């Protein structure tokens, strides 16, 4: 199983009404601040649940629904989530951590 964290994979892209481009002067951060403010207002009820702890809990829920042996493959940020999952007492028969990266 290679699970996606909440908000990735088959989820839709989250954008601002005035989406910043990559060619903006990095000294002018106002457009980014406006975008963050807009996203925070639009998603204030769900943003608190998009974190590593809840992603690890999602893995536990997934694991409890599967019978038989389970192997998890974690890549990049997924290695950080998998570490949190294991620290919360998560179980797996095999875990592969590929390219560990902090959040």
């Amino acid at each position: 199983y290679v699970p996606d964290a909440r908000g990735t994979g088959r989820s839709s892209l989250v954008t601002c009404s005035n989406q910043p481009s990559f060619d903006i002067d990095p000294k002018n951060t106002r457009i980014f601040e406006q975008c963050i403010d807009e996203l925070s207002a639009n998603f204030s009820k769900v943003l608190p649940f998009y974190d590593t702890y809840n992603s690890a809990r999602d893995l536990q829920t997934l694991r409890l629904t599967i019978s038989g042996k389970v192997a998890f493959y974690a890549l990049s940020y997924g290695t950080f989530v998998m570490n949190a999952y294991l620290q919360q007492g998560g179980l797996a028969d095999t875990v592969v951590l590929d390219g560990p990266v902090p959040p």
Side-chain angles (χ1 to χ4, degrees):
Y1 295 91
V2 184
D4 281 334
R6 295 178 185 194
T8 61
R10 295 181 58 187
S11 301
S12 61
L13 180 64
V14 175
T15 61
C16 303
S17 56
N18 187 14
Q19 188 70 15
S21 67
F22 289 103
D23 60 350
I24 291 180
D25 178 3
K27 295 177 186 172
N28 182 6
T29 60
R30 184 67 192 135
I31 192 167
F32 294 102
E33 292 165 2
Q34 290 171 338
C35 183
I36 290 168
D37 290 344
E38 180 182 339
L39 293 175
S40 295
N42 291 343
F43 298 100
S44 62
K45 293 182 180 178
V46 296
L47 283 176
F49 303 103
Y50 284 84
D51 60 16
T52 304
Y53 174 80
N54 283 305
S55 292
R57 287 186 58 213
D58 290 347
L59 283 178
Q60 184 70 311
T61 300
L62 173 66
R63 175 61 182 104
L64 293 173
T65 63
I66 300 167
S67 60
K69 292 187 175 190
V70 173
F72 283 113
Y73 173 77
L75 174 66
S76 188
Y77 173 66
T79 63
F80 191 74
V81 172
M82 183 57 63
N83 184 47
Y85 166 76
L86 295 171
Q87 287 181 1
Q88 291 176 20
L91 301 174
D93 297 291
T94 303
V95 174
V96 176
L97 303 176
D98 186 1
V101 174

